[in-house]
Amino acid sequence: MNPVSALYVPGDRPDRFDKAAASGADVVILDLEDAVADAAKAAALDHVTAWLAARTGGPEVQVRVNVGADHEIRAVRATGAHVGLRIPKVEAPEDLGVIASLAQGLPLTALVESARGLQNAGPIAAHPAVAALALGEADLASDLGSTAEAVLDHARIRLLVAARAAGLPAPMLSVYPRIQDLDGLRADTERGRALGLRGRTAVHPKQLPVIREVFAPDPEETAWAEAVVAALGGAADGGGGVATLPSGEMVDPAMLGRARAILAAGRP
């Protein structure tokens, strides 16, 4: 599966868990961190673990835990559910040692939310327990003192390069906080896709259709990828040499990786 949409749900709102699972989001993120007030965190953990222990199917699920809350990881692990853990405010690979031990093989998404974390994105991505990187754009903007598009795009590109260099999938875009501004969501998501990021997290179900539309396979792009794979010998043998497409475009093996990625992204 190639997820392109993820929906955050506050951990203290168990009435929304099943609705989120039925929303069509590829991933449901049960949030124990920013979306939950300090006074409600203990109850939120109880709600999340009870739901995880009882569920029998549905979309992929991740749980965003709090910084230093080892008991939350233990509690999630004790449910026996195979879920991902989103680890906030990771600034160095050393931050993940104890967490990885507690997770006992559950995949970690490292959230980079500071200048120091961004500077160390490469080593963080290379940590063996990390399955994906994600950018916490609001916290990063606060740390950098800037919400300029150029600064944000620079951070997105740095995270993308770190992820791909470590063999990880392209990161998903962070949440777009202006829930009613669907045009703004579309424009920013299209810009993120053009940079090479894949998918986006959402804070409201109404954002999901826009995200899915932006990341839907482009027919022209898919046709190009199929032609490249066919011209260079197919996906099985790795291809080779130089070929000319029916359009007249010359292609070589350097383009084969991009073509395969386009086709993989379009598969359910």
Side-chain angles (χ1 to χ4, degrees), residues 151-169:
V151 173
L152 179 57
D153 287 350
H154 172 76
R156 289 172 170 175
I157 292 168
R158 286 197 62 166
L159 205 71
L160 171 66
V161 172
R164 297 303 297 132
L168 302 181

Side-chain angles (χ1 to χ4, degrees), residues 49-249:
T49 53
W51 189 78
L52 290 176
R55 73 187 295 263
T56 58
E60 179 183 339
V61 174
Q62 297 179 359
V63 179
R64 180 165 72 168
V65 297
N66 287 280
V67 174
D70 294 354
H71 69 287
E72 293 178 349
I73 299 176
R74 292 190 185 96
V76 170
R77 192 74 186 84
T79 67
H82 185 73
V83 299
L85 296 174
R86 293 178 79 84
I87 311 302
K89 300 175 176 58
V90 178
E91 294 195 325
E94 293 77 19
D95 296 344
L96 298 169
V98 173
I99 292 169
S101 178
L102 292 171
Q104 298 182 34
L106 294 182
L108 306 183
T109 296
L111 293 168
V112 174
E113 305 181 78
S114 67
R116 183 167 180 257
L118 192 61
Q119 189 73 13
N120 289 325
I124 291 170
H127 191 287
V130 172
L133 295 181
L135 198 62
E137 294 181 359
D139 285 286
L140 182 63
S142 295
D143 191 40
L144 296 177
S146 175
T147 58
E149 285 187 358
V151 173
L152 179 57
D153 287 350
H154 172 76
R156 289 172 170 175
I157 292 168
R158 286 197 62 166
L159 205 71
L160 171 66
V161 172
R164 297 303 297 132
L168 302 181
M172 300 179 84
L173 289 157
S174 184
V175 299
Y176 188 81
R178 295 187 286 279
I179 295 172
Q180 304 302 327
D181 183 11
L182 296 182
D183 289 338
L185 169 65
R186 182 180 296 276
D188 188 67
T189 306
E190 288 175 346
R191 194 172 83 251
R193 177 177 178 172
L195 291 175
L197 279 78
R198 180 71 188 170
R200 181 156 217 160
T201 55
V203 290
H204 195 283
K206 70 167 56 178
Q207 296 177 315
L208 297 175
V210 173
I211 294 170
R212 283 195 294 266
E213 288 172 13
V214 172
F215 286 102
D218 180 273
E220 291 185 6
E221 199 173 48
T222 300
W224 175 86
E226 290 173 343
V228 169
V229 170
L232 294 177
D237 61 12
V242 175
T244 302
L245 302 184
S247 65
E249 178 185 0

